[in-house]
């Protein structure tokens, strides 16, 4: 039993946190896995003799239960402190079990500018605060360049837990955790939302566009209460650290953000 737990833990740490079939396969039993008699013949499938059940049915039930529970929590949370405590108690996202910390938002609860990233990285997971590693240092400098300090803003992520190895969040993880972000937006009620990177933009704006197409444009986000808040997307600081040639575009986006903020 102890071994099984350790193997599962190893898989989880490596990022294998989804079940792809209803029945487990014995990975070491080569007879079972190579026995072609077990593979349905195409003709049989076409004649409807073999019924193919959709895989992951249990998993999608688990996900929708987790999403419902996240929605319920958000209805109850009347303050950011309530919400933080409830997110820390929430067990519906498996990322929590491979993470060291729940990284909730940080900053001014009455901020005019809300900044949204993707998910905590290793430094954030260690320290329990968003954007405190290399990307965070660049973000601080970007904000300073338009006379904003991180303490003036509110900084958060799509996910409050680090995906193992900093992999991109799965759509299931985003679906389960999105209500927490949406509730933070309602409670803070910022004048403008600055979105960093494609994952965060796609999750919040519910689209699949590239960051190159999204960046630099103001797109309205509407809360569940009908409040319309302009968003501006730009490159993620981690990408800018790797691709200095895009910094000029990021600078143009920061100036747009500042101008819009002055108008609002
Ligand atoms: N990258 C993010 O998207 N968020 C963080 O908090 C840190 C790095």
């Amino acid at each position: 039993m102890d071994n099984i737990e350790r193997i599962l833990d190893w898989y989880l740490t490596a990022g294998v946190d989804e079940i792809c079939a209803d029945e487990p396969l014995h990975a070491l039993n080569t007879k079972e896995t190579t026995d072609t008699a077990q593979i349905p013949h195409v003709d049989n499938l076409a004649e409807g003799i073999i019924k193919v059940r959709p895989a992951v049915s249990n998993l999608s039930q688990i996900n929708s239960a987790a999403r419902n529970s996240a929605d319920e929590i958000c209805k109850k949370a009347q303050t950011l402190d309530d919400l933080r405590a409830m997110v820390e108690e929430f067990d519906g996202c498996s990322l929590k079990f491979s993470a060291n910390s729940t990284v909730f938002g940080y900053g001014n609860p009455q901020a005019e500018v809300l900044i949204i990233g993707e998910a905590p990285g290793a430094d954030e997971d260690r320290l329990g605060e968003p954007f405190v590693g290399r990307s965070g240092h660049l973000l601080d400098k970007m904000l300073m360049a338009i006379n904003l300090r991180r303490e003036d803003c509110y900084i958060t992520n799509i996910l409050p837990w680090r995906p193992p190895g900093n992999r991109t969040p799965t759509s299931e993880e985003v679906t389960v955790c999105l209500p927490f972000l949406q509730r933070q937006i309602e409670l803070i009620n910022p004048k403008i939302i600055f979105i960093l990177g494609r994952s965060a933009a796609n999750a919040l704006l519910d689209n699949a566009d590239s960051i190159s197409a999204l960046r630099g444009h103001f797109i309205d986000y509407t809360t569940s209460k009908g409040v319309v808040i302009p968003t501006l997307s730009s490159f993620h600081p981690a990408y800018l650290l790797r691709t200095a040639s895009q910094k000029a575009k990021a600078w143009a986006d920061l100036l747009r953000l500042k101008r819009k903020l002055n108008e609002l």
Side-chain angles (χ1 to χ4, degrees):
M1 185 59 187
D2 192 34
N3 267 350
I4 293 175
E5 261 174 15
R6 279 198 280 141
I7 290 170
L8 285 176
D9 194 43
W10 183 86
Y11 274 126
L12 208 58
T13 309
V16 182
D17 55 6
E18 292 187 57
I19 301 160
C20 299
D22 285 349
E23 298 295 331
L25 280 183
H26 195 309
L28 302 178
N29 185 343
T30 47
K31 185 180 175 312
E32 254 180 45
T33 51
T34 56
D35 186 355
T36 49
Q38 295 200 3
I39 301 172
H41 192 272
V42 170
D43 289 345
N44 289 346
L45 279 176
E47 288 162 19
I49 295 169
I50 293 175
K51 294 218 167 49
V52 179
R53 283 185 303 143
V56 303
S57 53
N58 289 345
L59 197 66
S60 47
Q61 274 167 21
I62 292 168
N63 262 323
S64 68
R67 168 65 191 236
N68 290 341
S69 139
D71 284 334
E72 284 309 307
I73 284 172
C74 290
K75 276 187 214 145
K76 286 188 207 141
Q78 294 307 315
T79 65
L80 284 174
D81 285 342
D82 286 351
L83 186 61
R84 175 198 292 269
M86 290 173 183
V87 172
E88 279 169 357
E89 290 292 302
F90 182 73
D91 276 347
C93 178
S94 59
L95 290 178
K96 181 179 186 182
F97 304 104
S98 55
N100 291 306
S101 325
T102 297
V103 181
F104 196 72
Y106 163 91
N108 177 357
Q110 273 111 38
E112 294 189 337
V113 182
L114 172 65
I115 299 170
I116 302 175
E118 178 178 307
D123 293 315
E124 291 76 19
D125 183 45
R126 197 164 40 84
L127 299 171
E129 197 177 300
F131 281 101
V132 288
R134 284 185 71 221
S135 302
H137 292 148
L138 178 56
L139 177 62
D140 289 347
K141 285 190 199 159
M142 290 162 66
L143 295 174
M144 290 291 281
I146 52 166
N147 289 326
L148 284 173
R149 295 170 312 156
R150 68 190 269 127
E151 296 78 19
D152 302 326
C153 308
Y154 190 89
I155 306 179
T156 191
N157 282 304
I158 298 287
L159 301 182
W161 297 287
R162 180 189 184 215
N166 295 346
R167 63 161 170 72
T168 305
T170 64
S171 57
E172 287 78 12
E173 290 157 0
V174 171
T175 302
V176 169
C177 295
L178 197 59
F180 302 138
L181 175 69
Q182 291 168 330
R183 189 67 184 133
Q184 284 176 85
I185 297 174
E186 283 174 2
L187 290 168
I188 294 157
N189 194 21
K191 279 191 174 169
I192 193 159
I193 300 175
F194 191 41
I195 308 178
L196 301 172
R198 179 179 186 169
S199 299
N202 290 166
L204 187 68
L205 303 174
D206 193 21
N207 63 34
D209 298 342
S210 71
I211 192 65
S212 300
L214 289 168
R215 62 151 285 277
H217 302 289
F218 289 101
I219 299 176
D220 283 343
Y221 168 80
T222 306
T223 70
S224 69
K225 309 263 183 290
V227 178
V228 178
I229 303 171
T231 74
L232 180 68
S233 301
S234 190
F235 295 120
H236 193 286
Y239 172 72
L240 294 173
L241 285 170
R242 298 192 302 270
T243 324
S245 57
Q246 299 287 33
K247 282 188 178 171
K249 288 181 186 157
W251 172 235
D253 292 341
L254 284 167
L255 293 178
R256 279 188 189 99
L257 178 76
K258 185 70 180 171
R259 259 198 313 272
K260 184 80 169 181
L261 193 57
N262 289 339
E263 285 166 13
L264 292 168

